[in-house]
Each structure stands twice: as C-alpha cells, then as structure tokens.
C-alpha cells in the first residue's frame, strides 16, 4: 500500500511539474522556423500562441497585420537597402513573461534579419496582462514612442481584447514613422483693378468745363 502511495505521489508531482513548466528562450517555438503547428498556425507565420489563448481567426488577423507592417515601415525614397527595408515583427504569447524575456527571445531569433536589424517582437504575458516590446536598436521603431503607444492600449489589454490591442499597436507604430503632411495655406490672391469709369467721367467733366469757359 505504501509503495503504491509513493508511486502515485511521484506521478502527481511529475504531472504538476510539467504543467507548471513554461517555455524558455531556448525552447520557445519559432513559427517561422518549423514550430508553427505548436504555435497554433496551419503554416509558417509570425504569431505563436501555444496556449490557444486566441481563436484561429484572431491569430491570422494579427498575422496579416504583421505582414502589412513590413510594407508599411518601408522607406521607399531611400537608396540604401537597409534603410529602405521594412521592419519584420512577430507576436508571441507566454504564461509569464518579462522585458528580459522579450529582449532575450528577440536576440535569440535575430538571424531573421541579421544584416539590417530590422526586426522586433511583441510578447503578451498572460499572468500580468502586459505586452512587452523589443526591437533591434538598428530598427526605425524606437522604444520610447512604442511604449507610449502600448500604454494607450492598456484598457484593451486588461479586458482581454488582445487582438484589437496588438493590431492597433502595429498600426500606430507604422503610422508614427510616416511624416505627416502639413497643409499649407495659400495666401489669398488679391488683384487691384484700376477703375476706368470714374476716370472717364472726370475727364468728360474737365473737357466740358474747359469748353464752357472758352
């Protein structure tokens, strides 16, 4: 009886340990490098949701926004390849993440764009309902403005509207790179027309007066 109890406790302990064990930087599945099925995708993509927090349609909505993000962050007027290139980004979900995890995972996957460094990652931490961002310092996406954008989506994040939050963050981050066209106000054109009618009347009166006195 005692032996059976020990075995049962060992099995329970092992099961609990497996449940509590979360992914690490080294073993987190990369949806672009063969881990897409574990990430909840049908093929290689840019989203990893191993806990199935989102529906499949939500994953692909975010995935499509990440694809658009690349073209939206291009600088087409530049002749330099790296400056012109758009920024690749990925979105992943963890039970419990930190800024250190986001930075570490981004560096771990840096070979996605080792040449130009146009790469970044957004990490959703489920435990504290926070989104941590990490972008290569060579990327045109700067952390201070990005963190301000993330802060504006705090209500969506806290209420579990993760898809809306992430898509809005990506849209705003891309829009922040585009110079805003400042409308120019044209000065109203004023034309001065000489009044020929009063001049003509005055001329006639003058001629008439001269004739009268002559």
């Amino acid at each position: 009886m005692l032996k059976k109890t020990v075995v049962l406790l060992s099995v329970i302990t092992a099961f609990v340990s497996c449940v509590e064990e979360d992914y690490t930087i080294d073993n987190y599945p990369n949806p672009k490098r063969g881990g897409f099925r574990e990430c909840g995708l049908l093929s290689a993509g840019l989203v990893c949701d191993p806990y199935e927090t989102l529906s499949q349609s939500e994953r692909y909505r975010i995935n499509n926004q990440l694809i658009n993000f690349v073209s939206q962050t291009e600088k087409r007027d530049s002749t330099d390849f790296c400056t012109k290139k758009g920024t690749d980004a990925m979105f992943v979900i963890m039970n419990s993440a930190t800024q250190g995890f986001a930075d570490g995972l981004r560096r771990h996957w840096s070979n996605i764009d080792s040449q130009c460094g146009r790469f970044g990652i957004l990490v959703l931490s489920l435990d504290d309902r926070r989104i941590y961002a990490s972008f290569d310092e060579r990327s045109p996406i700067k952390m201070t403005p990005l963190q301000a954008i993330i802060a504006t989506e705090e209500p969506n994040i806290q209420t579990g509207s993760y898809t809306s939050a992430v898509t809005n963050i990506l849209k705003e981050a891309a829009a922040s790179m585009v110079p805003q066209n400042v409308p120019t106000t044209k000065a109203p054109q004023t034309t001065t027309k000489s009044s020929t009618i009063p001049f003509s009347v005055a001329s006639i009166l003058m001629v008439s007066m001269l004739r009268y006195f002559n």
Side-chain angles (χ1 to χ4, degrees):
M1 182 68 181
L2 180 61
K3 186 176 181 180
K4 289 182 179 180
T5 303
V6 171
V7 172
L8 181 61
L9 288 174
S10 299
V11 171
I12 293 173
T13 302
F15 175 77
V16 171
S17 298
C18 291
V19 170
E20 291 181 348
E21 184 179 356
D22 208 347
Y23 291 101
T24 66
I25 291 171
D26 292 328
N27 67 12
Y28 195 91
N30 187 330
K32 288 192 73 172
R33 298 288 189 267
F36 60 87
R37 287 189 179 86
E38 194 173 352
C39 290
L41 299 178
L42 301 175
S43 59
L46 303 170
V47 174
C48 192
D49 178 19
Y51 315 102
E52 297 185 351
T53 303
L54 309 175
S55 66
Q56 189 175 90
S57 62
E58 287 177 318
R59 289 183 212 117
Y60 277 98
R61 181 182 167 191
I62 295 174
N63 193 77
N64 289 338
Q65 189 61 49
L66 287 163
I67 293 172
N68 293 334
F69 186 74
V70 180
S71 59
Q72 290 169 348
T73 52
E74 289 178 351
K75 292 188 176 180
R76 296 182 178 87
D77 57 343
S78 176
T79 56
D80 178 72
F81 173 75
C82 284
T83 304
K84 183 177 181 179
K85 183 182 181 296
T87 299
D88 293 292
M90 299 176 74
F91 171 68
V92 305
I93 298 178
M94 275 283 289
N95 272 331
S96 181
T98 62
Q99 185 62 51
F101 177 86
D103 293 336
L105 189 62
R106 191 258 305 161
R107 286 192 293 266
H108 188 61
W109 290 351
S110 61
N111 59 354
I112 288 176
D113 186 8
S114 56
Q115 179 181 356
C116 299
R118 295 297 202 263
F119 175 64
I121 191 168
L122 297 176
V123 180
L124 169 63
S125 175
L126 296 175
D127 282 355
D128 53 1
R129 293 197 174 189
R130 291 189 62 184
I131 289 181
Y132 298 94
S134 181
F135 278 75
D136 192 294
E137 61 183 8
R138 293 172 291 171
S139 166
I141 305 297
K142 303 307 176 186
M143 290 307 301
T144 300
L146 180 58
Q147 287 169 347
I149 292 171
I150 293 174
T152 64
E153 290 300 318
E154 190 68 18
N156 278 331
I157 299 170
Q158 291 302 316
T159 56
S161 300
Y162 303 130
T163 304
S164 296
V166 175
T167 53
N168 289 341
I169 289 168
L170 292 168
K171 289 176 183 177
E172 290 298 321
S176 68
M177 290 182 53
V178 180
Q180 300 298 314
N181 294 324
V182 180
T184 55
T185 304
K186 291 184 178 180
Q189 294 181 350
T190 57
T191 56
T192 305
K193 294 183 179 180
S194 58
S195 179
T196 57
I197 296 176
F199 179 77
S200 300
V201 172
S203 300
I204 294 170
L205 289 173
M206 183 65 71
V207 171
S208 300
M209 289 177 66
L210 289 173
R211 287 179 179 176
Y212 177 80
F213 287 106
N214 289 335

